[in-house]
Amino acid sequence: MSKLKSMEREFNYTPAHFNHARTILYRLAGIKLADSKDALVYSRLVRRIRQLKLAGFSEYFTYLAECESEHQEFINALTTNQTAFFREHHHFDILKQYLQTHPQTRRIWCAASSTGEEPYSIAMSVAEHFGTFQTPIEIIASDIDSVVLSKAEKGIYPIDRLSAVSDIRKKRFFHRGIGAQQGNVRVIPELRQMLQFTRINLLDESWPISTPIDVIFCRNVMIYFDRVTQEVILKHMMSTLTPTGLYIAGHSENFAMFPDIVTACGRTTYKPTKRNASGKTKS
């Protein structure tokens, strides 16, 4: 573990506190924090300690153990959300190609929607493919963090968040804010209505979504899980995909170690590994 900063802190914070926090986070969300995240844990949790008017970390952990509703606040505090409109742009070109070759596509799941930029990018791509907002595609947007999910549902962003969005898309899919909202934009209602937002913890045994799913976007999420957790989640996700389904991963993720679960089929894209009648992986 990185050496805790020796600077004076508002609350006593020891290596034991840090290890206890990341043990709880792993149990609740499957996220494995690196040794270097000790300062991040302090800065994020100290806000909750102040809000709850508690004496310090030990009292907070007692409260966390006794109050199940605090589990979500704890997860929200320690999860990191980095996203942008049309991030890794090639994935949205791949999505459009998939829709062209798989006209039977009916369901797309964005499994880490964060503040909404990714699922709205998916919705824009789908609307452009069909030439209408009235499409046969159901788009599910989920996240473990209830706070960012609420922001995603509102669909309001500072205008500078649209730097990767073309002028044509800005005019078609966003309204400029006026008055108190000047400097912001909001996704138009027609685009917002294409999405269904729901909170999902990928560690849960069952997920509140309909299946089968044709395309799963789960980008830059698995990097926060250890190999055992990755395998569990990948198996679960592949069980929800159609046989011709597509799994889209992040640029820093590689699942070559799970050939019996997924097979690479493009740039950071995968499909379920096929099996023969005996249940063995086909070569």
Side-chain angles (χ1 to χ4, degrees):
M1 184 178 75
S2 65
K3 187 177 180 179
L4 291 172
K5 293 181 179 179
S6 59
M7 61 181 289
E8 185 177 349
R9 297 183 185 273
E10 180 180 358
F11 297 100
N12 181 46
Y13 181 61
T14 68
H17 289 139
F18 170 58
N19 286 326
H20 190 45
R22 59 177 178 175
T23 297
I24 296 171
L25 185 63
Y26 182 79
R27 175 173 58 82
L28 295 178
I31 297 172
K32 192 169 186 178
L33 288 179
D35 293 345
S36 60
K37 300 297 184 180
D38 52 350
L40 178 145
V41 168
Y42 178 87
S43 64
R44 298 283 183 84
L45 291 186
V46 78
R47 298 170 192 168
R48 287 299 297 160
I49 292 171
R50 291 193 197 106
Q51 289 171 353
L52 295 167
K53 295 180 171 56
L54 300 176
F57 281 85
S58 295
E59 188 172 338
Y60 175 72
F61 290 135
T62 299
Y63 177 80
L64 184 63
E66 296 174 349
C67 184
E68 188 173 345
S69 62
E70 180 62 19
H71 292 179
Q72 184 61 56
E73 297 291 347
F74 176 81
I75 291 171
N76 290 354
L78 295 185
T79 48
T80 300
N81 298 280
Q82 294 181 343
T83 187
F85 286 102
F86 292 100
R87 186 183 186 188
E88 299 182 62
H89 198 284
H90 64 282
H91 284 155
F92 301 95
D93 294 331
I94 290 171
L95 173 61
K96 286 188 173 182
Q97 293 169 8
Y98 183 88
L99 293 175
Q100 290 175 355
T101 56
H102 297 79
Q104 77 282 6
T105 299
R106 292 295 177 268
R107 192 170 289 114
I108 300 171
W109 177 24
C110 177
S113 63
S114 186
T115 47
E117 289 90 331
E118 182 172 306
Y120 284 122
S121 298
I122 294 171
M124 284 185 262
S125 300
V126 171
E128 288 171 345
H129 171 76
F130 287 98
T132 178
F133 295 104
Q134 303 298 320
T135 78
I137 306 292
E138 176 186 0
I139 304 173
I140 304 107
S142 73
D143 202 279
I144 192 173
D145 187 330
S146 59
V147 173
V148 296
L149 201 61
S150 177
K151 292 180 180 179
E153 287 192 85
K154 294 175 182 176
I156 300 174
Y157 303 95
I159 195 166
D160 59 10
R161 295 290 294 168
L162 273 63
S163 58
V165 180
S166 67
D167 289 339
I168 293 176
R169 282 173 170 159
K170 289 176 184 176
K171 292 178 181 178
R172 184 178 185 190
F173 298 115
F174 297 88
H175 287 152
R176 283 181 175 269
I178 59 175
Q181 288 296 330
Q182 189 171 3
N184 291 334
V185 296
R186 186 170 192 164
V187 297
I188 62 173
E190 294 88 343
L191 191 72
R192 166 62 185 81
Q193 290 167 9
M194 292 177 65
L195 300 175
Q196 298 178 21
F197 291 94
T198 184
R199 183 190 171 276
I200 292 178
N201 184 339
L202 296 179
L203 284 190
D204 289 346
E205 292 184 5
S206 62
W207 297 326
I209 52 178
S210 300
T211 56
I213 298 166
D214 298 282
V215 181
I216 294 176
F217 276 74
C218 187
R219 306 188 304 169
N220 304 308
V221 176
M222 293 293 191
I223 55 175
Y224 297 105
F225 302 132
D226 60 19
R227 179 167 176 164
V228 172
T229 306
Q230 287 179 355
E231 183 174 10
V232 169
I233 293 174
L234 270 180
K235 283 182 177 179
H236 195 172
M237 285 188 163
M238 291 309 106
S239 72
T240 71
L241 271 182
T242 63
T244 58
L246 186 67
Y247 177 98
I248 299 178
H251 67 277
S252 58
E253 296 169 322
N254 187 305
F255 302 120
M257 72 288 286
F258 302 119
D260 59 328
I261 304 174
V262 292
T263 301
C265 59
R267 185 178 172 188
T268 54
T269 55
Y270 298 84
K271 60 184 179 180
T273 298
K274 293 183 179 179
R275 296 175 177 274
N276 60 28
S278 66
K280 295 181 178 180
T281 301
K282 288 186 177 180
S283 58

